[in-house]
Amino acid sequence: MNRPSWHEYFMMLAKLVSVRSTCNSRKIGAVIVRNNRILATGYNGAVHGAPHCSDRGPDFCLRRSVGAHDAEKYNYCMSSHAEANAINQAARFGIPLENATLYCTLEPCNWCFKQLIQAGIKEIYYESPYDSKNAEFDSFWRQVMTTHKQIKTFKQISISEAAREMIIQNLLGDSTRKLLATNPSARSKLKQDVLATFFEESQS
């Protein structure tokens, strides 16, 4: 592998976006693209002006601290989901999302899915399945998502080990030159045969 596929590229970007998350329960990242061009990004975290759970320590969760169970979690959670934040970012800056594609590190919940439909998203790719405590509920909404006529693609994808290794090496490294610099004073006649072969191979 000389570089990741487009799917891997955007999913890795979504994972990178997730490091900005201020939720201690899940770190979620989302990237919205069209024609392989980034339109918006989002991560889950407290809404503007609200305190972040991560600022109160790695184990703090507001809704858990007040004793709210999973069925009530959205009633006591100050966070906005990654997908919603990506949609909101696009809205704030006047970026239309019609026929766009979402890459998210987690399968969208039912609420976010409805927002994605309304925003005009046509393709959804996710890395990990959504796993609430209600398997019947998850199954119902997964069926809705996979059969909705507006969604052309609803698919779980993964990042290959080769792509993961590539990004780890890049993160640990830097952008210094990997090949020796050429010396202008030692310039010789261009090798036209090499140029011709290069383009011939590129077109084959």
Side-chain angles (χ1 to χ4, degrees), residues 52-71:
H52 298 289
C53 286
S54 60
D55 289 342
R56 304 199 175 197
D59 300 319
F60 180 81
C61 172
L62 177 61
R63 71 98 172 168
R64 288 179 172 85
S65 69
V66 300
H69 53 71
D70 270 20

Side-chain angles (χ1 to χ4, degrees), residues 73-74 81 83 106-116 130 137-138 141 145 154:
K73 61 183 178 182
Y74 295 140
H81 288 188
E83 309 95 308
L106 182 69
E107 181 182 14
C109 69
N110 66 306
W111 188 89
C112 283
F113 179 71
K114 288 181 279 188
Q115 304 308 305
L116 294 166
Y130 192 84
F137 176 85
D138 292 345
W141 275 104
M145 296 177 195
F154 185 82

Side-chain angles (χ1 to χ4, degrees), residues 13-21 27-30 42-44 105:
L13 286 177
K15 293 176 78 69
L16 184 60
V17 169
S18 74
V19 302
R20 285 283 301 167
S21 169
K27 303 292 184 184
I28 313 300
Y43 53 86
N44 59 325
T105 58

Side-chain angles (χ1 to χ4, degrees), residues 15-169:
K15 293 176 78 69
L16 184 60
V17 169
S18 74
V19 302
R20 285 283 301 167
S21 169
T22 61
C23 175
N24 286 324
S25 181
R26 300 182 195 253
K27 303 292 184 184
I28 313 300
V31 176
I32 299 177
V33 308
R34 185 170 51 238
N35 299 327
N36 292 335
R37 298 295 179 266
I38 298 171
L39 301 177
T41 64
Y43 53 86
N44 59 325
V47 297
H48 292 298
H52 298 289
C53 286
S54 60
D55 289 342
R56 304 199 175 197
D59 300 319
F60 180 81
C61 172
L62 177 61
R63 71 98 172 168
R64 288 179 172 85
S65 69
V66 300
H69 53 71
D70 270 20
E72 298 180 317
K73 61 183 178 182
Y74 295 140
N75 297 330
Y76 297 93
C77 179
M78 296 301 296
S79 285
S80 178
H81 288 188
E83 309 95 308
N85 283 333
I87 293 172
N88 294 338
Q89 182 187 88
R92 292 187 74 178
F93 293 99
I95 302 172
L97 300 180
E98 190 68 30
N99 297 318
T101 298
L102 170 81
Y103 289 87
C104 193
T105 58
L106 182 69
E107 181 182 14
C109 69
N110 66 306
W111 188 89
C112 283
F113 179 71
K114 288 181 279 188
Q115 304 308 305
L116 294 166
I117 291 292
Q118 296 301 87
I121 301 294
K122 298 298 184 186
E123 294 183 275
I124 298 173
Y125 296 94
Y126 63 94
E127 183 182 47
S128 300
Y130 192 84
D131 56 342
S132 74
K133 294 295 184 180
N134 189 333
E136 184 177 355
F137 176 85
D138 292 345
S139 177
F140 168 78
W141 275 104
R142 189 168 292 119
Q143 183 176 10
V144 172
M145 296 177 195
T146 54
T147 59
H148 195 284
K149 62 181 180 179
Q150 180 172 309
I151 301 299
K152 295 179 180 178
T153 305
F154 185 82
K155 185 178 181 181
Q156 182 178 9
I157 63 174
S158 61
I159 301 170
S160 66
E161 282 300 319
R164 289 176 183 272
E165 183 61 29
M166 186 178 295
I167 191 60
I168 290 173
Q169 289 179 358

